[in-house]
Amino acid sequence: MNSLPFVYLIPIFLIALYLILKKKKVAIEPLTDVDKKILDDYVDYYHNLDSTDKLRFEEKVAVFFSTVKIEPVGLEMTTLDELLIAASAVIPIFGFDDWQYKNLTSVLLYPDTFNKDFQFEGGERNIMGMVGTGYMNGQMILSRSALRHGFSKSAGKENTAIHEFVHLLDKSDGATDGVPENLMAHEYTLPWIKMMREEIEKIEDNKSDINPYAITNEAEFFAVVSEYFFEKPEQLKDKHPELYHQLSRIFAQQPAG
């Protein structure tokens, strides 16, 4: 008689377990042919991949869409906007098999630059993108004008969205300090810090083609040179071979071939 209640509980437990697992499983929608065409037309990084890597890139974009919410603020979102945001997220982590941005829940897309109070109309507005902190933790804000410019032919070695996703990678170890400890072996940390400081001195002395914004601090240096690494890899490899080598090791990829 005492065993009857337990027997009745088994199917209840199994049903509850099924519902929990079902709730946790998020549907991953594959990209359409139109999506792939947009990526091929607008994202040089994707365009230059072979067919196998293109498929892997598409899968990572689909996973990003299933885990991070993209929300428009003051504008009407387009498929192009969504794909450029996802591509910006995938490019820095393409060398890693199963990386996900666990420190990001949503990306807010503003129509243009904004200020420290998140206003995108009137006044002085010079922020093109930012990773949220405090009550904005887990969120990223991007300017659509900066997002699209970053993938244009005139952008050169700059890409705001990639810059912000590199900040997230940097932040994933608990500190946004230019040293992505989750991505690099411990023995490479000190040489990387030494290189950053040497390169910052060269920029300060006008002896470098790296964007001067990189001298702000080590975190900005890492994000700025990462833009350069992904947007103009051949140029970086030619002008800064050791920096290119270090970034290749950090991101586990060789975009210059």
Side-chain angles (χ1 to χ4, degrees):
M1 292 293 290
N2 291 337
S3 63
L4 283 177
F6 177 74
V7 171
Y8 290 139
L9 284 174
I10 291 176
I12 297 172
F13 171 77
L14 292 174
I15 292 170
L17 182 62
Y18 168 77
L19 291 174
I20 291 170
L21 293 175
K22 184 180 179 182
K23 186 177 181 181
K24 285 186 176 181
K25 188 176 180 181
V26 179
I28 298 176
E29 296 288 336
L31 300 192
T32 66
D33 288 341
V34 172
D35 295 334
K36 296 172 190 178
K37 179 69 166 55
I38 291 173
L39 285 175
D40 206 50
D41 288 345
Y42 287 89
V43 182
D44 287 344
Y45 182 100
Y46 171 86
H47 178 79
N48 294 329
L49 296 174
D50 62 31
S51 57
T52 301
D53 281 341
K54 278 186 175 179
L55 179 59
R56 195 160 62 86
F57 192 97
E58 293 155 15
E59 290 170 348
K60 286 181 177 292
V61 166
V63 170
F64 180 81
F65 283 145
S66 73
T67 56
V68 176
K69 188 175 183 181
I70 301 175
E71 301 179 77
V73 178
L75 56 82
E76 190 168 323
M77 184 81 73
T78 69
T79 301
L80 172 62
D81 296 324
E82 293 175 325
L83 286 168
L84 292 184
I85 290 170
S88 305
V90 169
I91 288 169
I93 54 104
F94 192 64
F96 312 114
D97 289 336
D98 56 359
W99 183 278
Q100 289 188 24
Y101 291 95
K102 295 180 181 177
N103 53 351
L104 180 68
T105 55
S106 63
V107 177
L108 306 180
L109 187 65
Y110 280 21
D112 208 338
T113 51
F114 51 96
N115 61 26
K116 59 183 177 59
D117 297 317
F118 313 118
Q119 301 299 312
F120 52 85
E121 291 180 344
E124 292 188 9
R125 298 174 288 109
N126 59 6
I127 303 174
M128 295 183 290
M130 67 174 290
V131 172
T133 58
Y135 76 94
M136 291 288 288
N137 198 44
Q139 297 187 64
M140 177 187 292
I141 304 176
L142 290 173
S143 152
R144 177 161 71 180
S145 56
L147 170 71
R148 292 189 176 186
H149 175 70
F151 287 94
S152 69
K153 301 301 180 186
S154 61
K157 50 184 178 283
E158 298 176 10
N159 187 306
T160 295
I162 289 177
H163 180 109
E164 297 306 325
F165 278 103
V166 169
H167 275 323
L168 272 185
L169 291 179
D170 186 7
K171 187 181 180 181
S172 68
D173 59 17
T176 312
D177 56 4
V179 184
E181 295 181 32
N182 285 343
L183 309 183
M184 60 196 305
H186 181 69
E187 62 266 26
Y188 299 130
T189 300
L190 289 179
W192 172 246
I193 293 173
K194 182 174 181 289
M195 175 177 286
M196 282 198 294
R197 291 173 180 169
E198 289 173 351
E199 290 293 336
I200 286 173
E201 285 183 9
K202 291 178 185 176
I203 300 169
E204 290 173 334
D205 294 337
N206 294 316
K207 296 178 180 178
S208 175
D209 68 331
I210 295 171
N211 186 333
Y213 188 64
I215 69 174
T216 306
N217 53 47
E218 283 85 355
E220 295 301 344
F221 176 86
F222 177 48
V224 165
V225 297
S226 296
E227 294 177 69
Y228 196 161
F229 177 74
F230 290 114
E231 290 298 305
K232 294 292 180 182
E234 293 85 2
Q235 184 177 325
L236 181 67
K237 187 176 183 180
D238 179 57
K239 295 194 173 189
H240 307 274
E242 185 55 32
L243 180 56
Y244 175 86
H245 174 68
Q246 291 272 23
L247 290 169
S248 294
R249 192 154 52 192
I250 289 172
F251 291 110
Q253 48 181 309
Q254 297 267 0

